Amino acid sequence: MTALEQPPPSIVRWTRRLEDASALDVPVRALEPSIRALFGTRPRGSALRGEWLGHAIHPLLTDVVIGTWGSASLLDLLGARDSPGSAKRLVGIGLVAAGPTAWTGWAEWSAAGKRDQRVGLVHAVVNGLAIGVYTASWIARHRGRHGAGARLALAGAGVLGVGAYLGGHLATARKVGSHHSAYDDASRDD
């Protein structure tokens, strides 16, 4: 039996159901005009989508957020006694970077199709939850409760993993993301 003949993994079936979830069309339709006005119109939308760069900015910025938060957890788990301050700073940098990252994501969402907007909405909600958990982590750390902050960051990493999976699905499987048409020339095999 080939890979194409085997039933897809359960996570793939779940993701396909999410793409087909027409119940999400109600919140998508409610949000779309505001999101398009804030993040989708020219020149703001063009800049946020990365049209000036030739491809989407959103994936680059997600690496900053995921990288700083992941590094904070590594310091929490493996760092020396003087690492709590560095871990707190990394969580804070991730929180600051989360704003522009979300803006670029909403700009991409505003130009996406219906199925992708459904998944993108869930992606945004899950990532919003992760931002809330990491905010609680930063607050706990700021109050001197490093252990609670570290535990919250680990919980946030779990939530963020779901959001990252959905973002990866949109970028890789669904090909959502701005890019210059020069990249569409598949005949170039240099």
Side-chain angles (χ1 to χ4, degrees):
M1 183 179 276
T2 68
L4 293 176
E5 295 169 339
Q6 295 177 0
S10 59
I11 189 127
V12 172
R13 291 191 309 272
W14 174 79
T15 307
R16 294 297 306 266
R17 283 193 304 273
L18 187 58
E19 289 177 358
D20 294 335
S22 59
L24 290 169
D25 292 345
V26 173
V28 165
R29 278 193 304 271
L31 282 172
E32 190 172 20
S34 297
I35 295 299
R36 191 175 303 276
L38 287 170
F39 303 109
T41 59
R42 290 198 176 270
R44 184 182 317 127
S46 175
L48 289 171
R49 281 188 296 276
E51 292 171 11
W52 56 274
L53 184 61
H55 62 77
I57 299 172
H58 185 67
L60 169 69
L61 294 179
T62 63
D63 288 352
V64 174
V65 175
I66 294 169
T68 55
W69 288 344
S71 296
S73 288
L74 284 175
L75 283 177
D76 290 336
L77 296 171
L78 306 172
R81 290 182 193 207
D82 60 348
S83 63
S86 297
K88 175 186 165 192
R89 280 188 291 284
L90 285 166
V91 170
I93 291 167
L95 289 171
V96 169
T101 303
W103 303 337
T104 59
W106 283 119
E108 292 293 347
W109 185 87
S110 71
K114 183 188 296 188
R115 292 172 66 88
D116 300 327
Q117 284 185 332
R118 292 171 182 160
V119 176
L121 179 62
V122 175
H123 168 69
V125 168
V126 169
N127 286 336
L129 178 60
I131 291 167
V133 175
Y134 276 103
T135 299
S137 171
W138 188 89
I139 290 169
R141 294 167 193 270
H142 186 69
R143 293 180 177 164
R145 298 176 53 229
H146 176 73
R151 288 187 296 280
L152 284 163
L154 287 174
V159 174
L160 188 63
V162 174
Y165 167 80
L166 292 172
H169 170 72
L170 288 167
T172 305
R174 299 291 298 167
K175 308 290 187 221
V176 173
S178 299
H179 68 280
H180 194 278
S181 60
Y183 294 124
D184 292 338
D185 185 5
S187 65
R188 293 188 56 174
D189 221 5
D190 302 331

